Amino acid sequence: MEVIGENNDESTSDMPRTQIISDENAMLLNAKVTFRGINLWSNNIRIRDGTANFVARGNKPKKFNFNLATMLVPDDKLRVEFYTIHPKKKRKKLIAIFELILESLIDSKYIDLPEENLSDPNHYLLQSTVQLKIYYTPPDIDKQLAALGYGNTIELIDWRSVFDEEGRHGGHRYRHVHSKHDGRLTKFRTKLAGRADDADTDSYSDEDFEESQDSENKIGPVDENTKIRMQHNDLELLEKGLGRYIGDIYEVTEWQVMIHVLQGRDFPGLNINPYVSVQIDDQKRYTNIQKSSNSPYFGEFFTFDFKLPATKFMEKVIFIKVHDAVRIVSTFTDTAPIGIFRLDLATVFNEKGHAFERKWAQLSNPENIAAPCGHLLLSISVTQRGVSTRNVVSEEAHEDDEFKPSKTLVPAAMPRHLFPMQLKIIFFTATELPEMMTDFLASVSKKFLQSETWEPVDPYVEVTYDAMTATTDTRNGTTPVWGEGLYFIGRFPPLARIIKITLKDRAAVQKDRIISSLSIDVFLISESNPSAGFLPTLGPTWMFLYGSPREYTISKDKDGLSEGMGEAVCYKGRILMAIECHPVTGENTPNMNIQKETGIEFPAAHIFPMKRSFLLFGCIYDVSMIDKSFGSGKISFELSIGPSGYLNPQQLAAANHNPVSSLTRAYPCISIDNNKDYFRLPIDLQKPILFTKYIFHDYIYRMTLSNRLKYASEYLYKQIREFESKINSKMSNEILREEYKKIEHYVHTLPCGCAEETKDENFGTATIVHPSLYELLNSFQPTVKMNPLDLKRYKKILHNIQAIKTLVSKSVNFDELKPYEIVKDLNKVARAFQQMATDPQPSLPDIFLWMIYDLKRVAYARFQPEDLLFNFCKGEKGLYNGHVRTVFLKTPRSTDKPLNASTNAKVQIYLWLGIEEYEPLIFKRLPAGFDMPSLPLSPQVKSIRYNGRAYYELRCHCYKARTLIAADETGLSDPYLSITVGNETQTTPVILESLCPQWHITLVFRNLIHVGTRETAEEIIGNVVVECYDYDENGDPDLIGRFYTTAKLDLFNINNPMPKSLFKWYAFKLGEKQAGELLAVFELVEVNPETREAETTFELEEIPITTDNYPPTRYITKIVKNEIYAIPLLLIPAFKTYQIEIMFWGLRECRTINLQPIQQAEVTIECAGARITRTIKNVQKNPNFESSPTEADKYTLRVNLPDDDNFWPHLSILCVQHRLFGMKEIIGNLVVTNLQKYLEKPTHLSTSSGQAIADAVNELSKRIPFNFNRVRKSIIDAYEAALTAQGDSLARTKLVEFDSNADRNRHDSDSQAPIIHADSLEQGKTEGDESGGKLDAEKHGLKKTNSAAESSNDRTHENEPLTTLEKIKINDMEKAAGWWHKYYASKAKLKLIKRCAIDMDEGLPDSCDAYAEFFEDEAAFVSRKRWNLWNRAKKIFLHVGKAQKTLRTLAAERMARLENSEKSKSAFDENLDFIETERLKELTLLQTFDIIETELENVHDYEGFNDCLDSFPIYKGKGSSRSDEVTDEKRIYTKFKVSIL
């Protein structure tokens, strides 16, 4: 047990011996000690001669420790119960009780009871006796609490457990065994593990300690590779634990689960006929029956299709059973399974690639989860429509399919050994539940039952975990009391991570209805990393319930909101619960799948923090963009937290006469200028306010920790965006490294952010810098408020942050392809901080803002309480506290309905949440300029009034859009922009049939009224909502996407230099999906109150709406009712002219459209307004584009593109088919997003002075398979001769010198300097250079002498003619050789090269001391680099003529000389090596070819084995048409082959 703090006050009870009456059938005894509602259990003790000795390790008395926070009182008592255990029946029986009043212990501090009689359960005295000792240490907690700032200590308690070093403690929370000799895994399994209040589930006996003492005595130092592997495991576990799903969890998605059942292994039984059943939900599949085999091969593949939101899909469990087929019986029903395996889909999805590929699943006995029943080789993958995944189906057998621990089906980075655990889920009570019956039926039922205490709700709890379900008893009332515990058997680390808890109402006639449901992720309440792991634990704590509206209705349309089929829209109550877990041994797991325990006592009230009154305040500054369906009535708003502030229909109706603080008054709607679809509320100067109070336990420490993590995530996202913008702007690597260092430094420090703030003008005091997050996590002291999960959460977060530090501290590479990988990793880091902020134990209920239309709730917004929490520390304050936030309201939506594209309403609201004592601080943070209301606030105060006003002007410079989604069936859109600012909407012209439109216009919103200071102008009136619509001539426009942003004040300052570019890409979104991007700038300009003109640097020039400016063939302007201006030229980035060369090739895989094949097709390519069109006359006969003398093979687009390629447009491909009578039908389109890929970068011809050549030849010197020191100068001379192209004589002379130098004594010492230096290859000499001429003359003279001297030597070189015998030998070999001879000759050549490379690698670093600078890091020369450099060198020597043959011949001749001289070999071994080498050399005389020992796609020279053409899919129908996204293959109607340069 962990000892937390220095002065842990405790009461200790020793129980060495108990004398009982002998019972032959009762061989074991167990003791349960109860004090203040806390139950501690002893081990199972064997009864010998009527005596049971309760001893722990080392024959020391068994201890039970109870932590105290308050003094003992005279009424305190200690109760000891003794149970006998029958080995056969596995049941316990209460046989004796001992109770003791502890009043005398207050003064004596010690009681010794040598022999006390016991009583039976009926309180009759027994002959049995007990011996025990009791020690008492008075608590001294006042000093600790005074240091923490608490004055009243009566309501507080230090709820911590202390582990008994002399024995095992089975405490209320932490019941586990521990040994200093335990291994790391054993410690992890037993850490903080306990056992339920059932003796049958006892995990260990004291003898287990003796067995585990030697389990880990051999922990040596951890090497570097192991440390790196552990760091990777930490990162993988972090990402897996936080979840990999990104998107709207409530959106209906099409999923497909693919399961490949390959083979079985070691199934139990004799002469069995196994078959496998795979079940997910109500879908079930079967394999064929395999006859008489315990290790059968199945090789069958199953798919399961679902159409569910992610929340419901992840709960599904894959249930795999292995059956033994019985004749006739198996025809009608399944036999009892002989092995089972369960795995939920959330575990599969959170793996890398969302798949397990060819892993062995360990089957378990259905009656005993700890008993193995063989293994099953499986491949499982989860595919989400529109997201690519790897193929896990492979019929052929793999070499690594043999069973081994690394192939076990266990999530990556987790311990491979899964041990059984028992999960205990305790439900104490619930409160604030809604009534589940209409008022009429409730009143009738009360009269019928004649009971005033009866309430119209009968709740019970249903728990589902790992395909197992259990329920509590049914209780009546809105505040039911259960006190029940449900037991489940599972494994840890968990393969099923979702615990589904559903609160239901028992119905007498119809089906039980769901009140609410919640899902608990086991990964959030546990940690499977052995270095910081703990078993699942939770609470006791209050869990808040949400679901459909509280009002009961007979209609079940919105019941799905309570089931998790959509986002919950209302608070439904709270439930007090706890989760405990402990490992169990194999002998105790049978028949323990599901159990129930009743009569569990409530946790003491003093373990919870004191209650505080929380104040929630809101002030609405603007309500606009109200949907036209709500424009005819009156609208009010309601703000609630939990049950506080929520009004039922009767209360809403009465609020007109009796003001309620949480409800505004009703306002009529007025229309927005230039927009018939939107309305607004007239609240220009009178700003409505709302407030409510909620009393709950003070869990602020949980929310502040979450806010620290959210603040870190928000800051990182901001820094990453700046870092990415500098990457896109092609900043130097030095600048990028500096930016990365800033991010790395922030992750290593994680400050609170207060140091960035200046002096607070409202409070008149300087800000205080609080401890950093690291200091907070490292130095935190457990307080009396924290439960076990609170403590573990601190440690878990600290461990995860250490893993993140390791990730960002690694060396980074800013090559061309690396920066974006770095950005990807940094985004993962920011997302990890954001997800770590999720606390499985909520602190306060969520906050709801409802828009009420004619007394009906129509739209809402939901907020997390920690986001609105007030705190003096910037890092611990909520992200949205004290800010005017723009919120788009949503309508309650179950997932079977399509997404509502309407905004419903846009609300700008100021929200504040804090304890009631901070109420005066609310108005100090509001935008100034209002009349201060009297405090404390009363329900009669409905608004605050602003006095002053200022005028502003907002300018929207809209340049162009790209990659818009197709909104028409043709695969195109007719887009236009609708921009709403304040009380006005303006539109742009419609551009016909385009996914990458260019507007190049400015829209101006004038006379914007602002109340408040200039500093708050941006967040209040600078809000801009941009919507992109698809124009429809005969109906309402379709929404493509929308986004909102804030216009910047003082964007163009004359005193400050203007940045390189102010334009920015803004992403359109439709729900959670990307819908395109807009390149724009939004500028807020202050208007001079005297001249009433905007104070800006740029003057605007209006564009008349004429047919010349906007031709009707490409534009529709009738919807434009506002003025349009041109973007100022100074804002437009500088341009360059580019040429895009396009070679049309053809169409492939054409599908039929409306049952008709594609005949004549036309393809149009457009970029930045320039277009090219080509036609195929008959696709069926010839699917390629034909070239003719009048039409060139290549076409050129001349486009003007910005210098910064971040602002480049995308390239659009449109394919149209021609029908009869001149009709045209669009086949589809595609938007090529990565235009930079086809940019041809300028290439510089390599010269003799190029460093690349020097590197190539220097690297070649290391690879040549013989002593190259003597010939390296001749190689360079020959190479220079070929480059200078000064005649055949010079080249021939160089080659002669090459040959002569190559045959010199290879043992002759020579300079070991690098072969080529960049300065040695300079060709800058002129003919007039006398010294150069002299040097050349000397070199020529030397070469002639050497050539003459060596010409009479042996004729072994290929530069001289072959002899007749040599020619005859080669010809005979070529005639006799077949294809296989040449193949083996090529293999021989490859073997020689490999042998050479191995010998060179072994001896090179030691033998070439002069080249030490090249061998400082031999690992850097990886195989691909060697291969590339070798190919570069070969290409160089291809131009040297006979030097190529000479080099190859020399290499073959010198192969035998590469024997390692440092190794002593026997004569026999040397002869064998010599014979083998000579045979291989003889084989190389045949004509050989290159053998590539891998796929050609992996060979660098083959460039992926792709041709020069690109194949683009052409999409038809609604959806995304981006080339960098994977979309539905059903939308692909053809593929366009083209070459773009």
Side-chain angles (χ1 to χ4, degrees), residues 1256-1257 1259-1276 1278-1279 1294-1296 1298-1303 1315 1356-1359 1389 1393 1396 1429-1455 1458 1484:
V1257 179
E1259 181 65 18
L1260 181 63
S1261 69
K1262 308 167 191 176
R1263 301 296 101 205
I1264 295 299
F1266 56 90
N1267 192 343
F1268 198 62
N1269 299 328
R1270 286 295 180 185
V1271 296
R1272 66 184 188 280
K1273 182 62 179 173
S1274 299
I1275 292 177
I1276 303 308
Y1279 172 62
K1294 293 286 186 179
L1295 293 177
V1296 171
F1298 178 86
D1299 295 338
S1300 60
N1301 290 337
D1303 198 38
I1315 299 172
T1356 59
H1357 302 304
E1358 289 189 9
N1359 62 316
K1389 176 183 174 183
I1393 294 176
C1396 162
L1429 289 173
W1430 175 256
N1431 287 331
R1432 288 168 57 189
K1434 285 199 302 183
K1435 291 179 181 179
I1436 292 174
F1437 288 107
L1438 286 176
H1439 301 285
V1440 187
K1442 293 183 179 180
Q1444 179 192 10
K1445 291 184 178 180
T1446 305
L1447 181 62
R1448 187 167 60 243
T1449 303
L1450 287 175
E1453 290 178 350
R1454 302 296 182 178
M1455 285 288 184
L1458 288 176
T1484 57

Side-chain angles (χ1 to χ4, degrees), residues 313-336:
F313 176 76
M314 298 298 176
E315 298 171 0
K316 305 297 181 184
V317 175
I318 303 173
F319 203 161
I320 300 176
K321 302 178 184 178
V322 178
H323 304 265
D324 180 15
V326 178
R327 185 176 299 177
I328 300 176
V329 176
S330 299
T331 307
F332 302 97
T333 183
D334 290 335
T335 58

Side-chain angles (χ1 to χ4, degrees), residues 373 450 610 795 829 840 855 1264 1321 1391 1394 1448 1453 1494:
C373 293
Q450 296 180 356
M610 66 177 64
K795 296 180 180 179
V829 169
L855 302 182
I1264 295 299
L1321 298 178
K1391 187 174 182 180
K1394 284 185 177 181
R1448 187 167 60 243
E1453 290 178 350
T1494 183

Side-chain angles (χ1 to χ4, degrees), residues 1252-1471:
I1253 298 177
D1255 293 341
V1257 179
N1258 282 328
E1259 181 65 18
L1260 181 63
S1261 69
K1262 308 167 191 176
R1263 301 296 101 205
I1264 295 299
F1266 56 90
N1267 192 343
F1268 198 62
N1269 299 328
R1270 286 295 180 185
V1271 296
R1272 66 184 188 280
K1273 182 62 179 173
S1274 299
I1275 292 177
I1276 303 308
D1277 290 341
Y1279 172 62
E1280 289 178 352
L1283 284 181
T1284 53
Q1286 296 180 359
D1288 295 338
S1289 58
L1290 178 57
R1292 189 177 300 107
T1293 305
K1294 293 286 186 179
L1295 293 177
V1296 171
E1297 182 181 357
F1298 178 86
D1299 295 338
S1300 60
N1301 290 337
D1303 198 38
R1304 289 185 181 180
N1305 186 359
R1306 59 187 176 96
H1307 299 290
D1308 189 12
S1309 61
D1310 198 0
S1311 173
Q1312 299 291 324
I1315 299 172
I1316 304 175
H1317 295 286
D1319 55 353
S1320 67
L1321 298 178
E1322 293 294 334
Q1323 301 291 332
K1325 298 179 182 180
T1326 60
E1327 295 180 359
D1329 192 341
E1330 296 180 0
S1331 61
K1334 183 178 179 180
L1335 180 61
D1336 289 341
E1338 292 176 356
K1339 292 172 65 179
H1340 281 289
L1342 177 62
K1343 291 171 186 175
K1344 290 180 180 180
T1345 305
N1346 292 339
S1347 177
E1350 298 292 337
S1351 60
S1352 60
N1353 289 344
D1354 58 291
R1355 305 169 54 84
T1356 59
H1357 302 304
E1358 289 189 9
N1359 62 316
E1360 297 182 5
L1362 295 174
T1363 64
T1364 303
L1365 291 177
E1366 290 174 339
K1367 290 181 180 180
I1368 293 174
K1369 182 178 180 180
I1370 293 176
N1371 289 336
D1372 291 342
M1373 290 182 63
E1374 288 288 346
K1375 290 178 181 179
W1379 187 90
W1380 284 106
H1381 294 83
K1382 297 180 180 180
Y1383 169 76
Y1384 285 112
S1386 303
K1387 294 282 287 185
K1389 176 183 174 183
L1390 183 63
K1391 187 174 182 180
L1392 285 173
I1393 294 176
K1394 284 185 177 181
R1395 180 183 298 177
C1396 162
I1398 293 174
D1399 294 340
M1400 290 290 290
D1401 287 338
E1402 291 176 353
L1404 199 55
D1406 298 330
S1407 60
C1408 300
D1409 296 336
Y1411 290 132
E1413 57 180 315
F1414 293 100
F1415 298 99
E1416 290 179 357
D1417 186 9
E1418 175 66 17
F1421 295 104
V1422 295
S1423 59
R1424 193 178 72 173
K1425 184 175 180 181
R1426 292 172 176 173
W1427 184 261
N1428 293 341
L1429 289 173
W1430 175 256
N1431 287 331
R1432 288 168 57 189
K1434 285 199 302 183
K1435 291 179 181 179
I1436 292 174
F1437 288 107
L1438 286 176
H1439 301 285
V1440 187
K1442 293 183 179 180
Q1444 179 192 10
K1445 291 184 178 180
T1446 305
L1447 181 62
R1448 187 167 60 243
T1449 303
L1450 287 175
E1453 290 178 350
R1454 302 296 182 178
M1455 285 288 184
R1457 302 180 184 180
L1458 288 176
E1459 301 295 337
N1460 195 338
S1461 59
E1462 297 179 0
K1463 299 180 181 179
S1464 59
K1465 291 186 178 181
S1466 64
F1468 181 76
D1469 291 336
E1470 290 181 353
N1471 290 332

Side-chain angles (χ1 to χ4, degrees), residues 1238-1258:
Y1238 305 99
L1239 177 64
E1240 184 176 349
K1241 298 181 179 179
T1243 56
H1244 303 284
L1245 294 176
S1246 300
T1247 61
S1248 58
S1249 62
Q1251 188 63 37
I1253 298 177
D1255 293 341
V1257 179
N1258 282 328

Side-chain angles (χ1 to χ4, degrees), residues 32 39 41 171-173 175 194-198 201 421-428 463 465 483-490 499 501 525 536-539 577-583 593 595-601:
K32 172 184 175 182
N39 302 326
W41 286 84
H172 181 255
R173 281 177 173 77
R175 301 186 282 261
R195 129 176 74 90
D197 298 340
D198 191 341
T201 64
M421 68 171 182
Q422 188 175 56
L423 202 64
K424 180 181 179 182
I425 305 176
I426 308 171
F427 298 98
F428 300 104
V463 181
Y465 175 68
E484 299 180 17
L486 304 176
Y487 292 86
F488 296 87
I489 284 291
I499 302 175
I501 298 173
I525 61 174
T537 181
L538 181 76
M577 62 174 294
I579 296 179
E580 300 174 1
C581 181
H582 66 276
N593 288 339
Q595 296 180 6
K596 181 190 292 187
E597 180 184 358
T598 59
I600 298 178
E601 297 183 7

Side-chain angles (χ1 to χ4, degrees), residues 841-1068:
Q841 301 181 127
S843 306
L844 285 173
D846 286 356
I847 296 162
F848 289 90
L849 175 69
W850 274 99
M851 184 174 76
I852 299 175
Y853 167 72
D854 289 344
L855 302 182
K856 295 181 180 179
R857 304 177 186 275
V858 292
Y860 75 99
R862 183 174 174 178
F863 309 93
Q864 294 182 343
E866 60 268 19
D867 291 338
L868 310 178
L869 180 69
F870 169 75
N871 197 288
F872 289 104
C873 176
K874 181 179 179 180
E876 297 179 355
K877 182 172 63 175
L879 293 177
Y880 308 121
N881 176 271
H883 298 285
V884 178
R885 186 184 179 191
T886 300
V887 180
F888 291 94
L889 302 185
K890 300 175 287 186
T891 55
R893 176 178 66 98
S894 57
T895 52
D896 58 345
K897 297 180 181 179
L899 177 67
N900 184 9
S902 171
T903 59
N904 297 301
K906 184 194 76 171
V907 181
Q908 290 183 276
I909 185 171
Y910 170 94
L911 291 172
W912 188 96
L913 174 67
I915 58 176
E916 191 175 4
E917 289 80 357
Y918 292 156
E919 182 178 2
L921 302 181
I922 297 175
F923 298 95
K924 290 187 177 181
R925 309 228 172 232
L926 274 174
F930 60 90
D931 296 332
M932 182 70 181
S934 59
L935 298 178
L937 294 172
S938 63
Q940 286 72 27
V941 180
K942 308 298 294 183
S943 63
I944 57 175
R945 179 179 177 81
Y946 278 85
N947 298 318
R949 65 178 67 185
Y951 292 92
Y952 287 81
E953 182 178 291
L954 195 146
R955 299 180 175 183
C956 306
H957 308 285
C958 304
Y959 189 55
K960 57 188 173 185
R962 65 185 186 187
T963 61
L964 300 178
I965 63 174
D968 294 335
E969 294 296 338
T970 60
L972 296 173
S973 295
D974 303 322
Y976 70 94
L977 299 179
S978 175
I979 302 178
T980 302
V981 176
N983 303 326
E984 184 182 2
T985 298
Q986 296 188 19
T987 59
T988 65
V990 178
I991 298 180
L992 299 175
E993 296 185 347
S994 178
L995 298 179
C996 299
Q998 296 196 49
W999 286 285
H1000 204 288
I1001 61 175
T1002 296
L1003 302 180
V1004 181
F1005 296 84
R1006 295 186 170 90
N1007 299 324
L1008 301 178
I1009 301 176
H1010 172 58
V1011 294
T1013 61
R1014 190 174 188 272
E1015 289 73 18
T1016 60
E1018 289 186 4
E1019 63 183 16
I1020 296 179
I1021 65 167
N1023 185 266
V1024 183
V1025 180
V1026 181
E1027 297 174 304
C1028 185
Y1029 286 95
D1030 171 63
Y1031 179 78
D1032 191 348
E1033 187 71 30
N1034 301 320
D1036 294 332
D1038 297 325
L1039 179 65
I1040 295 177
R1042 72 164 57 91
F1043 70 86
Y1044 75 93
T1045 185
T1046 301
K1048 298 299 180 182
L1049 190 63
D1050 299 329
L1051 189 62
F1052 310 116
N1053 195 333
I1054 302 176
N1055 300 326
N1056 297 330
M1058 194 172 68
K1060 183 178 179 180
S1061 178
L1062 296 170
F1063 280 93
K1064 179 182 176 182
W1065 286 107
Y1066 295 89
F1068 287 111

